[in-house]
Each structure stands twice: as structure tokens, then as C-alpha cells.
Amino acid sequence: MRLFRLEDTSRPTVEQAFSGLGGLHASGRWHTEGRRIIYVSESLALASLEKLVHAHSLRALARLNYFEVTVPDNLIERPQDYPASWNADPAPPETRAYGDQWLTEERSAALLIPSAIIPVENNCLLNPAHPAFDLRWVRGPMPFNYDPRIKAAYEAALTHKRHQ
């Protein structure tokens, strides 16, 4: 399966972008802080939307690279059901527990999960501690730039939010 990741240019190497160290510093929808994990998306467009909703400044959207990842299908777990409130905002503890259990059990190198932004599309979790995980799956970095209209709309939304 071909997947994509957007990463700040301050982490320009495959080893930096796919270390999973970000998960040590903050919890995400599908993991608890203190666990190495990598979030990727099934399309570059979805990866760009995920980056937009998690960005806290226009600067976070300015210097980006993208990486393509090809994970062997037999190493991807495709669950049939998820915690009932998996797409709630903020993310509920049940989804973190679900991802944490997957990481702990090392059932697969990758876990396919729905996107809370576009539920009919998927993100994928990668477990860099899994014995089958391989950085040779990754191509990149390649430069990525948002269209100036997207940046302008994002900046306008931030300004509006500050003035409320």
C-alpha cells in the first residue's frame, strides 16, 4: 500500500521523519504520549489536510517535505471495527487505548485506521519498533508547498479565531 507523510524540513532525512519520536512528546488520536509511532495517510491530499488541522501557525505550513511509503500489504492490519467514538473531538481515551494496545502487542507493522477528517479515507499508523518495519519502504524527501490560496484562507481563519 502506498502512503504519504508531510514533515517539516527541519527533519529532512528518512531516519528523522520516520523515527516515531514525535509520539514521545504528545498524544495523538490513536496513541498516548510516550510511545513511538508514525502517522501516514493514503493520499498526499489527505496528509495535507491532516497537517492543516493540526497546525497552530502559518509557519508550520511553510517549510514541508513529503515522503512516499510503500508498506507490504501482508504487514498491514485492517480492523473491522473501532471504538464507537473514534472520531469524536477531542479524541477519546478509548482510541488511544486501542492504538496503545496495538503498539504493545506488535501485531503488525502498520494499522489502517479511518481519518476523522474524511471518514471514508484512511490514515495508517506505523510502528517503528515492530521487527518487520523497514526504512527502505520510504522514498523522499520531496518538496511540498501549499497553494497560496490555502495559506491565505488558513491565515484568515487564524485571524478570525484570535478576534473572537
Side-chain angles (χ1 to χ4, degrees):
M1 172 177 251
R2 194 168 97 171
L3 302 158
F4 297 86
R5 177 171 176 79
L6 276 179
E7 186 63 71
D8 187 272
T9 56
S10 66
R11 291 177 291 280
T13 67
V14 170
E15 292 79 13
Q16 291 168 323
F18 287 81
S19 66
L21 295 177
L24 298 177
H25 306 292
S27 293
R29 178 170 299 278
W30 296 96
H31 82 284
T32 305
E33 178 181 348
R35 296 173 174 272
R36 290 178 57 219
I37 192 167
I38 303 155
Y39 286 72
V40 293
S41 299
E42 70 179 351
S43 71
L44 186 53
L46 181 57
S48 73
L49 287 174
E50 294 284 351
K51 186 61 96 174
L52 276 172
V53 297
H54 293 103
H56 299 291
S57 70
L58 194 58
R59 185 174 165 220
L61 306 176
R63 300 175 12 231
L64 298 170
N65 286 324
Y66 77 94
F67 295 84
E68 286 187 30
V69 187
T70 304
V71 179
D73 286 342
N74 65 319
L75 298 178
I76 302 171
E77 182 177 334
R78 292 170 167 84
Q80 298 304 306
D81 50 70
Y82 306 94
S85 56
W86 68 267
N87 60 347
D89 186 28
E94 295 82 18
T95 59
R96 289 189 180 106
Y98 187 93
D100 289 348
Q101 182 177 1
W102 168 76
L103 286 167
T104 299
E105 293 175 358
E106 293 187 349
R107 295 190 313 254
S108 61
L111 179 68
L112 200 64
I113 46 145
S115 166
I117 297 169
I118 303 175
V120 297
E121 294 194 22
N122 295 304
N123 288 319
C124 193
L125 308 177
L126 303 178
N127 182 351
H130 190 278
F133 179 79
D134 194 336
L135 290 176
R136 291 178 293 184
W137 298 341
V138 184
R139 281 189 40 226
M142 293 161 270
F144 179 87
N145 292 298
Y146 283 99
D147 182 289
R149 295 169 294 179
I150 292 174
K151 288 182 181 179
Y154 184 79
E155 186 172 33
L158 283 177
T159 301
H160 178 73
K161 186 176 179 180
R162 280 187 228 127
H163 296 333
Q164 285 184 331

